Coordinates of all heavy atoms in Angstrom, one line a residue:
M1 N 114.5 102.7 72.7 CA 114.1 102.5 74.1 C 114.6 103.7 75.0 O 113.9 104.1 75.9 CB 114.8 101.2 74.6 CG 114.5 100.9 76.0 SD 112.8 100.4 76.2 CE 112.9 99.3 77.6
A2 N 115.8 104.2 74.7 CA 116.3 105.4 75.5 C 115.4 106.6 75.3 O 115.2 107.3 76.3 CB 117.7 105.7 75.0
K3 N 114.8 106.8 74.1 CA 113.9 107.9 74.0 C 112.6 107.7 74.8 O 112.1 108.7 75.3 CB 113.5 108.1 72.5 CG 114.7 108.7 71.7 CD 114.2 108.9 70.3 CE 115.4 109.5 69.5 NZ 115.0 109.9 68.2
V4 N 112.1 106.5 74.9 CA 110.9 106.3 75.7 C 111.2 106.5 77.2 O 110.5 107.2 77.9 CB 110.4 104.8 75.5 CG1 109.3 104.5 76.5 CG2 109.9 104.6 74.1
A5 N 112.4 106.0 77.6 CA 112.8 106.2 79.0 C 113.0 107.7 79.4 O 112.6 108.1 80.5 CB 114.0 105.4 79.3
A6 N 113.5 108.4 78.4 CA 113.7 109.9 78.7 C 112.4 110.6 78.8 O 112.4 111.7 79.4 CB 114.5 110.5 77.5
K7 N 111.3 110.1 78.3 CA 110.0 110.8 78.4 C 109.3 110.4 79.7 O 108.3 111.1 80.0 CB 109.1 110.5 77.2 CG 109.7 111.1 75.9 CD 108.8 110.8 74.8 CE 109.5 111.4 73.5 NZ 108.6 111.9 72.6
I8 N 109.7 109.4 80.4 CA 109.0 109.0 81.6 C 109.6 110.0 82.7 O 110.8 110.1 82.9 CB 109.3 107.6 82.0 CG1 108.8 106.6 80.9 CG2 108.8 107.2 83.4 CD1 109.2 105.2 81.1
P9 N 108.7 110.7 83.4 CA 109.3 111.6 84.5 C 110.1 110.8 85.5 O 109.8 109.7 85.9 CB 108.0 112.1 85.1 CG 106.9 111.9 84.1 CD 107.3 110.7 83.4
T10 N 111.2 111.4 85.9 CA 112.1 110.8 86.9 C 111.4 110.5 88.2 O 111.7 109.6 88.9 CB 113.4 111.6 87.1 OG1 113.0 112.9 87.7 CG2 114.1 111.8 85.9
A11 N 110.4 111.3 88.5 CA 109.6 111.1 89.7 C 108.9 109.7 89.7 O 108.9 109.0 90.7 CB 108.6 112.2 89.9
V12 N 108.4 109.4 88.5 CA 107.8 108.1 88.4 C 108.8 106.9 88.4 O 108.5 105.9 89.1 CB 107.0 108.0 87.0 CG1 106.4 106.6 86.7 CG2 105.9 109.1 87.0
V13 N 109.9 107.1 87.8 CA 111.0 106.1 87.8 C 111.4 105.8 89.3 O 111.5 104.7 89.7 CB 112.2 106.5 86.9 CG1 113.3 105.5 87.1 CG2 111.7 106.6 85.5
A14 N 111.7 106.9 90.0 CA 112.3 106.8 91.4 C 111.2 106.2 92.3 O 111.5 105.2 93.0 CB 112.7 108.1 91.9
A15 N 110.0 106.7 92.3 CA 108.9 106.2 93.1 C 108.6 104.7 92.8 O 108.4 103.9 93.6 CB 107.7 107.0 93.0
G16 N 108.6 104.4 91.5 CA 108.4 103.1 91.0 C 109.4 102.1 91.5 O 109.1 100.9 91.8
G17 N 110.7 102.6 91.5 CA 111.8 101.7 92.0 C 111.6 101.4 93.5 O 111.8 100.2 93.9
L18 N 111.2 102.3 94.3 CA 111.0 102.1 95.7 C 109.8 101.2 95.9 O 109.9 100.2 96.7 CB 110.9 103.4 96.4 CG 112.2 104.2 96.5 CD1 111.9 105.7 96.9 CD2 113.1 103.6 97.6
V19 N 108.7 101.5 95.3 CA 107.5 100.7 95.5 C 107.7 99.3 94.8 O 107.4 98.3 95.4 CB 106.2 101.4 94.9 CG1 105.0 100.5 95.0 CG2 106.0 102.7 95.7
G20 N 108.2 99.3 93.6 CA 108.4 98.0 92.9 C 109.4 97.1 93.6 O 109.2 95.9 93.6
G21 N 110.5 97.7 94.0 CA 111.5 96.9 94.7 C 110.9 96.2 96.0 O 111.1 95.0 96.2
Y22 N 110.2 97.0 96.7 CA 109.6 96.4 97.9 C 108.5 95.3 97.5 O 108.5 94.2 98.1 CB 108.9 97.4 98.8 CG 108.2 96.8 100.0 CD1 108.9 96.1 101.0 CD2 106.8 96.7 100.0 CE1 108.3 95.5 102.1 CE2 106.2 96.1 101.1 CZ 106.9 95.5 102.1 OH 106.2 94.8 103.1
G23 N 107.7 95.6 96.6 CA 106.7 94.7 96.1 C 107.3 93.4 95.6 O 106.8 92.3 96.0
V24 N 108.3 93.5 94.8 CA 108.9 92.3 94.3 C 109.5 91.4 95.4 O 109.4 90.2 95.4 CB 110.0 92.6 93.2 CG1 110.9 91.5 92.9 CG2 109.3 93.2 91.9
A25 N 110.2 92.1 96.3 CA 110.9 91.4 97.4 C 109.8 90.7 98.3 O 110.0 89.5 98.7 CB 111.7 92.3 98.3
R26 N 108.7 91.4 98.5 CA 107.7 90.8 99.4 C 107.0 89.6 98.7 O 106.7 88.6 99.3 CB 106.7 91.9 99.8 CG 105.6 91.4 100.7 CD 104.8 92.5 101.3 NE 103.7 92.0 102.1 CZ 103.3 92.5 103.2 NH1 103.8 93.7 103.5 NH2 102.3 92.0 103.8
W27 N 106.6 89.8 97.4 CA 105.8 88.8 96.8 C 106.6 87.6 96.3 O 106.0 86.5 96.2 CB 105.0 89.4 95.6 CG 103.9 90.3 96.2 CD1 103.0 90.0 97.2 CD2 103.5 91.6 95.7 NE1 102.1 91.0 97.4 CE2 102.4 92.1 96.5 CE3 104.0 92.5 94.8 CZ2 101.9 93.3 96.4 CZ3 103.4 93.7 94.6 CH2 102.4 94.1 95.4
T28 N 107.8 87.8 96.0 CA 108.7 86.7 95.6 C 109.4 86.0 96.8 O 110.0 84.9 96.6 CB 109.7 87.1 94.5 OG1 110.6 88.0 95.1 CG2 109.1 87.7 93.3
K29 N 109.4 86.7 97.9 CA 110.2 86.3 99.1 C 111.7 86.2 98.7 O 112.4 85.5 99.4 CB 109.7 85.0 99.6 CG 108.2 85.1 100.1 CD 107.8 84.0 100.9 CE 106.3 84.0 101.3 NZ 105.6 85.2 101.4
K30 N 112.1 87.0 97.8 CA 113.6 87.1 97.4 C 114.0 88.5 97.5 O 113.8 89.3 96.6 CB 113.8 86.5 96.0 CG 113.4 85.0 95.9 CD 113.8 84.5 94.5 CE 113.2 83.1 94.3 NZ 113.8 82.1 95.1
R31 N 114.6 88.8 98.6 CA 115.1 90.2 98.8 C 116.1 90.7 97.8 O 116.1 91.9 97.4 CB 115.7 90.3 100.2 CG 114.7 90.1 101.3 CD 115.3 90.2 102.7 NE 115.5 91.6 103.0 CZ 116.0 92.0 104.1 NH1 116.5 91.1 105.0 NH2 116.2 93.3 104.4
Q32 N 116.9 89.8 97.3 CA 117.9 90.2 96.3 C 117.2 90.6 95.0 O 117.7 91.5 94.3 CB 118.8 89.0 96.0 CG 119.7 88.5 97.1 CD 119.0 87.5 98.0 OE1 117.8 87.2 97.8 NE2 119.7 86.9 98.9
L33 N 116.1 90.0 94.6 CA 115.4 90.3 93.4 C 114.8 91.7 93.6 O 114.8 92.6 92.7 CB 114.3 89.3 93.1 CG 113.6 89.4 91.8 CD1 114.6 89.4 90.6 CD2 112.7 88.2 91.6
G34 N 114.2 92.0 94.8 CA 113.7 93.3 95.1 C 114.8 94.4 95.0 O 114.6 95.5 94.5
G35 N 116.0 94.0 95.6 CA 117.1 94.9 95.5 C 117.5 95.2 94.1 O 118.0 96.3 93.8
A36 N 117.5 94.2 93.2 CA 117.8 94.5 91.8 C 116.9 95.5 91.2 O 117.3 96.4 90.5 CB 117.8 93.1 91.1
V37 N 115.6 95.3 91.5 CA 114.6 96.3 90.9 C 114.9 97.7 91.4 O 114.9 98.6 90.7 CB 113.2 95.8 91.3 CG1 112.2 96.9 91.0 CG2 112.8 94.5 90.6
L38 N 115.2 97.8 92.7 CA 115.5 99.0 93.4 C 116.7 99.7 92.7 O 116.8 100.9 92.4 CB 115.7 98.8 94.9 CG 116.1 100.0 95.7 CD1 114.8 100.8 96.0 CD2 116.8 99.6 97.0
A39 N 117.8 98.8 92.5 CA 119.0 99.3 91.9 C 118.9 99.8 90.5 O 119.4 100.8 90.1 CB 120.1 98.3 92.1
V40 N 118.2 99.0 89.7 CA 118.0 99.3 88.3 C 117.2 100.6 88.1 O 117.6 101.5 87.3 CB 117.4 98.2 87.5 CG1 116.9 98.6 86.1 CG2 118.3 97.0 87.4
A41 N 116.2 100.7 88.9 CA 115.4 102.0 88.8 C 116.2 103.2 89.3 O 116.1 104.3 88.7 CB 114.1 101.8 89.6
G42 N 116.9 103.0 90.4 CA 117.7 104.1 90.9 C 118.8 104.5 89.9 O 119.0 105.7 89.8
A43 N 119.4 103.6 89.2 CA 120.5 103.9 88.2 C 119.8 104.6 87.1 O 120.4 105.6 86.6 CB 121.2 102.6 87.8
A44 N 118.7 104.2 86.6 CA 118.0 104.9 85.5 C 117.6 106.3 85.9 O 117.7 107.2 85.1 CB 116.7 104.1 85.1
A45 N 117.0 106.4 87.1 CA 116.7 107.8 87.6 C 117.9 108.7 87.7 O 117.8 109.8 87.3 CB 115.9 107.7 88.9
A46 N 119.0 108.1 88.2 CA 120.2 108.9 88.4 C 120.7 109.4 87.1 O 121.2 110.6 87.0 CB 121.3 108.1 89.1
Q47 N 120.7 108.6 86.1 CA 121.1 109.0 84.7 C 120.3 110.1 84.2 O 120.8 111.1 83.7 CB 121.1 107.8 83.8 CG 121.6 108.1 82.4 CD 121.5 106.9 81.5 OE1 121.0 105.9 81.8 NE2 122.1 107.1 80.3
Q48 N 119.0 110.0 84.4 CA 118.1 111.0 83.9 C 118.2 112.3 84.7 O 118.2 113.4 84.2 CB 116.6 110.6 84.0 CG 116.3 109.6 82.9 CD 114.8 109.2 82.9 OE1 114.4 108.5 83.8 NE2 114.0 109.7 82.0
W49 N 118.4 112.2 86.0 CA 118.6 113.4 86.9 C 119.9 114.1 86.4 O 119.9 115.3 86.3 CB 118.8 113.0 88.3 CG 117.5 112.5 89.0 CD1 116.3 112.9 88.8 CD2 117.5 111.5 90.0 NE1 115.4 112.2 89.6 CE2 116.1 111.4 90.4 CE3 118.4 110.7 90.7 CZ2 115.6 110.5 91.4 CZ3 117.9 109.9 91.7 CH2 116.6 109.7 92.0
R50 N 120.9 113.4 86.1 CA 122.2 114.0 85.6 C 121.9 114.8 84.3 O 122.4 115.9 84.2 CB 123.3 112.9 85.4 CG 124.6 113.5 85.3 CD 125.7 112.4 85.2 NE 125.7 111.5 86.3 CZ 125.2 110.2 86.2 NH1 124.8 109.7 85.0 NH2 125.2 109.4 87.3
Q51 N 121.2 114.2 83.4 CA 120.9 114.8 82.1 C 120.0 116.0 82.3 O 120.2 117.0 81.6 CB 120.2 113.8 81.2 CG 121.1 112.7 80.7 CD 120.4 111.6 80.0 OE1 119.2 111.6 79.9 NE2 121.1 110.7 79.4
R52 N 119.1 116.0 83.2 CA 118.1 117.0 83.3 C 118.5 118.1 84.2 O 118.1 119.3 84.0 CB 116.7 116.5 83.8 CG 116.1 115.6 82.8 CD 114.8 115.1 83.2 NE 114.2 114.2 82.2 CZ 113.0 113.7 82.3 NH1 112.2 113.9 83.4 NH2 112.5 112.9 81.4
A53 N 119.3 117.8 85.3 CA 119.5 118.8 86.3 C 121.0 118.9 86.7 O 121.3 119.8 87.5 CB 118.7 118.5 87.6
G54 N 121.9 118.1 86.1 CA 123.3 118.2 86.4 C 123.8 117.3 87.5 O 123.0 116.6 88.2
G55 N 125.1 117.2 87.6 CA 125.7 116.2 88.5 C 125.4 116.4 90.0 O 125.2 115.5 90.7
K56 N 125.4 117.7 90.5 CA 125.2 117.9 91.9 C 123.8 117.6 92.3 O 123.5 116.9 93.3 CB 125.5 119.4 92.2 CG 126.9 119.7 92.3 CD 127.1 121.2 92.7 CE 128.6 121.5 92.7 NZ 128.9 122.9 93.1
A57 N 122.8 117.9 91.4 CA 121.4 117.6 91.7 C 121.2 116.1 91.7 O 120.5 115.5 92.5 CB 120.5 118.3 90.7
A58 N 121.9 115.4 90.7 CA 121.8 114.0 90.6 C 122.3 113.3 91.8 O 121.8 112.4 92.3 CB 122.5 113.5 89.3
G59 N 123.4 113.8 92.3 CA 124.0 113.3 93.5 C 123.1 113.4 94.7 O 122.9 112.5 95.5
A60 N 122.5 114.6 94.9 CA 121.6 114.9 96.0 C 120.4 114.0 95.9 O 119.9 113.4 96.9 CB 121.2 116.3 96.0
L61 N 119.8 113.9 94.7 CA 118.6 113.0 94.5 C 118.9 111.6 94.7 O 118.1 110.8 95.3 CB 118.0 113.3 93.2 CG 117.3 114.7 93.0 CD1 116.9 115.0 91.6 CD2 116.0 114.7 93.9
T62 N 120.1 111.1 94.3 CA 120.5 109.7 94.5 C 120.6 109.5 96.0 O 120.2 108.4 96.5 CB 121.8 109.4 93.8 OG1 121.6 109.6 92.4 CG2 122.2 108.0 94.0
A63 N 121.2 110.4 96.7 CA 121.4 110.3 98.2 C 120.0 110.2 98.8 O 119.8 109.4 99.8 CB 122.2 111.4 98.7
A64 N 119.0 111.0 98.3 CA 117.7 111.0 98.9 C 117.0 109.7 98.6 O 116.3 109.1 99.5 CB 116.9 112.2 98.3
Y65 N 117.3 109.1 97.4 CA 116.7 107.8 97.1 C 117.2 106.7 98.0 O 116.4 105.9 98.6 CB 117.1 107.5 95.6 CG 116.5 106.2 95.0 CD1 115.2 106.2 94.5 CD2 117.3 105.1 94.9 CE1 114.7 105.1 93.9 CE2 116.8 103.9 94.3 CZ 115.5 103.9 93.8 OH 115.0 102.8 93.2
V66 N 118.5 106.7 98.2 CA 119.1 105.7 99.2 C 118.6 105.9 100.6 O 118.3 105.0 101.3 CB 120.6 105.7 99.1 CG1 121.3 104.9 100.1 CG2 121.1 105.3 97.7
A67 N 118.6 107.2 101.0 CA 118.1 107.5 102.4 C 116.6 107.1 102.5 O 116.2 106.6 103.6 CB 118.3 109.0 102.6
A68 N 115.8 107.3 101.5 CA 114.4 106.9 101.6 C 114.3 105.4 101.7 O 113.5 104.9 102.6 CB 113.7 107.3 100.3
F69 N 115.1 104.6 101.0 CA 115.1 103.2 101.2 C 115.5 102.8 102.6 O 114.8 102.0 103.2 CB 116.1 102.5 100.1 CG 116.4 101.1 100.4 CD1 115.4 100.1 100.3 CD2 117.6 100.7 100.9 CE1 115.7 98.8 100.5 CE2 117.9 99.4 101.2 CZ 116.9 98.4 101.0
A70 N 116.6 103.3 103.1 CA 117.1 103.0 104.4 C 116.1 103.5 105.5 O 115.8 102.8 106.5 CB 118.4 103.7 104.7
G71 N 115.5 104.7 105.3 CA 114.6 105.2 106.3 C 113.2 104.6 106.3 O 112.5 104.6 107.3
S72 N 112.9 103.9 105.2 CA 111.6 103.2 105.2 C 111.5 102.0 106.2 O 110.5 101.7 106.7 CB 111.3 102.7 103.8 OG 112.1 101.6 103.4
H73 N 112.7 101.5 106.5 CA 112.7 100.3 107.4 C 112.3 100.7 108.9 O 111.4 100.1 109.4 CB 114.1 99.7 107.4 CG 114.3 99.0 106.1 ND1 114.8 99.7 105.0 CD2 114.2 97.7 105.7 CE1 114.9 98.8 104.0 NE2 114.5 97.6 104.4
P74 N 112.9 101.7 109.5 CA 112.5 102.1 110.8 C 111.1 102.7 110.8 O 110.3 102.5 111.8 CB 113.5 103.1 111.3 CG 114.3 103.5 110.2 CD 114.2 102.4 109.1
L75 N 110.7 103.4 109.8 CA 109.4 104.0 109.7 C 108.3 102.9 109.6 O 107.3 103.1 110.2 CB 109.3 104.9 108.4 CG 108.0 105.7 108.2 CD1 107.7 106.6 109.4 CD2 108.1 106.5 106.9
A76 N 108.7 101.8 108.9 CA 107.7 100.7 108.8 C 107.3 100.2 110.2 O 106.2 99.7 110.4 CB 108.3 99.6 107.9
K77 N 108.2 100.2 111.1 CA 107.9 99.7 112.5 C 106.9 100.6 113.2 O 106.2 100.1 114.1 CB 109.2 99.6 113.3 CG 110.1 98.6 112.8 CD 111.4 98.5 113.5 CE 112.3 97.5 112.8 NZ 113.4 97.0 113.6
K78 N 106.7 101.8 112.7 CA 105.8 102.7 113.4 C 104.5 102.8 112.6 O 103.4 102.9 113.2 CB 106.4 104.1 113.4 CG 107.6 104.2 114.4 CD 108.2 105.6 114.4 CE 109.5 105.5 115.3 NZ 109.6 106.5 116.2
V79 N 104.5 102.8 111.3 CA 103.3 103.0 110.5 C 102.9 101.8 109.6 O 101.8 101.8 109.0 CB 103.4 104.3 109.6 CG1 103.6 105.5 110.5 CG2 104.4 104.1 108.6
G80 N 103.7 100.8 109.6 CA 103.5 99.6 108.7 C 104.3 99.7 107.4 O 104.8 100.8 107.0
A81 N 104.5 98.6 106.8 CA 105.4 98.4 105.7 C 104.9 99.3 104.5 O 105.6 100.1 103.9 CB 105.6 97.0 105.3
W82 N 103.7 99.0 104.0 CA 103.2 99.7 102.8 C 103.1 101.2 103.0 O 103.5 102.0 102.1 CB 101.9 99.0 102.3 CG 102.2 97.8 101.5 CD1 101.8 96.5 101.8 CD2 102.9 97.7 100.2 NE1 102.3 95.7 100.8 CE2 102.9 96.3 99.8 CE3 103.4 98.6 99.3 CZ2 103.5 95.9 98.7 CZ3 104.0 98.2 98.2 CH2 104.0 96.8 97.8
P83 N 102.5 101.6 104.1 CA 102.4 103.1 104.3 C 103.8 103.7 104.3 O 104.0 104.8 103.8 CB 101.7 103.3 105.6 CG 100.9 102.0 105.8 CD 101.7 100.9 105.1
S84 N 104.8 103.1 104.9 CA 106.1 103.6 104.9 C 106.7 103.7 103.5 O 107.3 104.7 103.1 CB 107.0 102.6 105.8 OG 108.4 103.0 105.7
V85 N 106.6 102.6 102.7 CA 107.1 102.6 101.3 C 106.4 103.7 100.5 O 107.1 104.4 99.8 CB 107.0 101.2 100.7 CG1 107.3 101.2 99.2 CG2 107.8 100.2 101.4
F86 N 105.1 103.8 100.6 CA 104.4 104.8 99.8 C 104.8 106.2 100.3 O 105.0 107.1 99.5 CB 102.9 104.6 99.9 CG 102.4 103.5 99.1 CD1 101.6 102.5 99.6 CD2 102.8 103.4 97.7 CE1 101.1 101.5 98.9 CE2 102.3 102.3 97.0 CZ 101.5 101.4 97.5
G87 N 105.0 106.4 101.6 CA 105.4 107.7 102.1 C 106.8 108.1 101.6 O 107.0 109.3 101.1
V88 N 107.8 107.3 101.7 CA 109.1 107.6 101.2 C 109.2 107.8 99.7 O 109.9 108.6 99.2 CB 110.2 106.7 101.7 CG1 110.3 106.7 103.3 CG2 110.1 105.3 101.2
A89 N 108.4 106.9 99.0 CA 108.4 107.0 97.5 C 107.7 108.4 97.1 O 108.2 109.0 96.2 CB 107.5 105.9 97.0
G90 N 106.7 108.8 97.8 CA 106.1 110.1 97.5 C 107.1 111.2 97.8 O 107.1 112.2 97.0
A91 N 107.8 111.1 98.9 CA 108.8 112.2 99.2 C 109.9 112.3 98.1 O 110.2 113.4 97.7 CB 109.4 111.9 100.6
V92 N 110.4 111.1 97.7 CA 111.4 111.1 96.6 C 110.8 111.6 95.3 O 111.5 112.4 94.6 CB 112.0 109.7 96.5 CG1 112.9 109.6 95.2 CG2 112.9 109.4 97.7
A93 N 109.6 111.2 95.0 CA 108.9 111.7 93.8 C 108.8 113.2 93.8 O 109.0 113.8 92.8 CB 107.6 111.0 93.6
L94 N 108.4 113.7 94.9 CA 108.2 115.2 95.0 C 109.5 115.9 94.8 O 109.6 116.9 94.0 CB 107.6 115.6 96.3 CG 107.3 117.0 96.6 CD1 106.3 117.6 95.5 CD2 106.7 117.3 97.9
A95 N 110.6 115.4 95.4 CA 111.9 116.0 95.3 C 112.4 115.9 93.9 O 112.9 116.9 93.3 CB 112.9 115.4 96.3
S96 N 112.2 114.8 93.3 CA 112.6 114.5 91.9 C 111.9 115.5 90.9 O 112.5 116.1 90.0 CB 112.3 113.1 91.5 OG 112.8 112.8 90.2
W97 N 110.6 115.6 91.1 CA 109.8 116.5 90.3 C 110.3 117.9 90.4 O 110.5 118.6 89.4 CB 108.3 116.4 90.6 CG 107.5 117.4 89.8 CD1 107.1 117.3 88.6 CD2 107.1 118.7 90.3 NE1 106.4 118.4 88.2 CE2 106.4 119.3 89.2 CE3 107.3 119.4 91.5 CZ2 105.9 120.6 89.3 CZ3 106.8 120.7 91.6 CH2 106.1 121.3 90.5
A98 N 110.5 118.4 91.7 CA 110.9 119.7 91.9 C 112.2 120.1 91.3 O 112.5 121.2 90.8 CB 110.9 120.0 93.4
V99 N 113.2 119.1 91.4 CA 114.5 119.4 91.0 C 114.8 119.1 89.5 O 115.5 119.8 88.8 CB 115.5 118.6 91.8 CG1 117.0 118.7 91.3 CG2 115.5 119.0 93.3
A100 N 114.2 118.0 89.0 CA 114.5 117.5 87.6 C 113.4 117.5 86.6 O 113.6 117.7 85.4 CB 115.1 116.1 87.7
D101 N 112.2 117.3 87.1 CA 111.1 117.1 86.1 C 110.3 118.4 85.8 O 109.7 118.5 84.7 CB 110.1 116.1 86.6 CG 110.7 114.7 86.7 OD1 111.7 114.4 85.9 OD2 110.2 113.9 87.4
R102 N 110.2 119.3 86.7 CA 109.4 120.5 86.6 C 109.6 121.2 85.3 O 108.7 121.7 84.7 CB 109.6 121.3 87.8 CG 108.7 122.6 87.9 CD 108.8 123.3 89.2 NE 110.2 123.4 89.6 CZ 110.7 124.2 90.5 NH1 109.8 125.0 91.1 NH2 111.9 124.2 90.9
R103 N 110.8 121.4 84.9 CA 111.1 122.2 83.7 C 111.2 121.3 82.4 O 111.6 121.9 81.4 CB 112.5 122.9 83.9 CG 112.4 123.9 85.0 CD 113.7 124.7 85.1 NE 114.3 124.9 86.4 CZ 114.6 124.1 87.4 NH1 114.5 122.9 87.3 NH2 115.2 124.5 88.5
H104 N 111.0 120.0 82.5 CA 111.2 119.1 81.4 C 109.9 118.4 81.1 O 109.5 117.6 81.8 CB 112.3 118.1 81.6 CG 113.6 118.7 81.8 ND1 114.4 119.1 80.7 CD2 114.3 119.0 82.9 CE1 115.5 119.6 81.1 NE2 115.5 119.6 82.5
P105 N 109.2 118.8 80.0 CA 107.9 118.2 79.6 C 108.1 116.8 79.2 O 109.1 116.3 78.9 CB 107.4 119.0 78.4 CG 108.6 119.8 77.9 CD 109.6 119.8 79.0

């Protein structure tokens, strides 16, 4: 399982955690369940970021992941929930690709 997870780009894991966490929370009406999805994906991405790009990069990308989650809430009031989630997920995916995935096939 770890080998399969290592082949999934961290950009996909991080964006999937943000989109999936929101989707699960919305469709199940259980925010805690969505939070669990968000946390598990974030932890998996952080582990891969550390392996691929080092501790400092992993810390910065983890901070970006958390900031994206927090920032999606006020942004949603301006552009709507789903556009906000997709926007921040795209930003985190781009940062993740640039820092950790670009050099790892």
Side-chain angles (χ1 to χ4, degrees):
M1 181 72 149
K3 287 185 180 186
V4 171
K7 292 185 183 212
I8 298 171
T10 62
V12 172
V13 175
L18 289 161
V19 172
Y22 175 70
V24 166
R26 181 168 179 148
W27 289 314
T28 65
K29 299 193 185 331
K30 296 187 189 293
R31 294 178 79 182
Q32 298 87 349
L33 192 54
V37 170
L38 180 81
V40 168
Q47 181 180 9
Q48 286 183 289
W49 289 328
R50 193 175 309 107
Q51 290 170 350
R52 292 180 181 187
K56 287 183 181 181
L61 288 168
T62 300
Y65 185 81
V66 172
F69 167 70
S72 69
H73 292 83
L75 183 60
K77 293 178 185 196
K78 295 181 185 225
V79 299
W82 280 112
S84 172
V85 171
F86 285 129
V88 300
V92 169
L94 182 60
S96 183
W97 174 82
V99 174
D101 294 336
R102 181 171 44 161
R103 294 183 223 60
H104 295 282

